[in-house]
Amino acid sequence: MQNGDFVQLTPGVNYRASNVYQSDVDTRIVLNITMQNGTTQYLELPGAPASAELTEWAGTFTMPAGALSVSIMHLLSRNGFLITDNY
């Protein structure tokens, strides 16, 4: 899986997401959730602080009722660099 890939998950189930990252600025983790009615919901998880070394980020979430799929996005909070791997 890569940053931004959509994956089908089961609504109501708890999931753990993780990746390895390196960044010179604080970063954000945002779920892009596609709903059955065609709308999109965004859920922000706890972010990841700047890290000069490769560091694991991990968080948990519950798929909302009516959800079809989710994409996990690891994003920059401002100008800088971000390297991600091992989603």
Side-chain angles (χ1 to χ4, degrees):
M1 178 177 193
Q2 294 182 11
N3 192 26
D5 286 351
F6 278 90
V7 177
Q8 291 184 339
L9 299 177
T10 304
V13 174
N14 294 325
Y15 290 94
R16 179 182 184 272
S18 66
N19 74 350
V20 174
Y21 77 97
Q22 181 179 0
S23 179
D24 63 344
V25 297
D26 292 346
T27 60
R28 298 172 54 211
I29 313 297
V30 179
L31 303 182
N32 178 349
I33 302 168
T34 302
M35 305 301 289
Q36 292 173 352
N37 65 7
T39 62
T40 301
Q41 291 185 10
Y42 296 95
L43 174 63
E44 188 147 356
L45 299 180
S51 176
E53 304 293 326
L54 286 173
T55 302
E56 182 181 27
W57 170 89
T60 59
F61 65 95
T62 302
M63 281 293 281
L68 288 177
S69 62
V70 65
S71 173
I72 301 170
M73 301 178 293
H74 196 148
L75 308 169
L76 289 169
S77 297
R78 58 190 169 110
N79 288 339
F81 80 87
L82 171 63
I83 300 168
T84 63
D85 200 3
N86 294 335
Y87 280 84

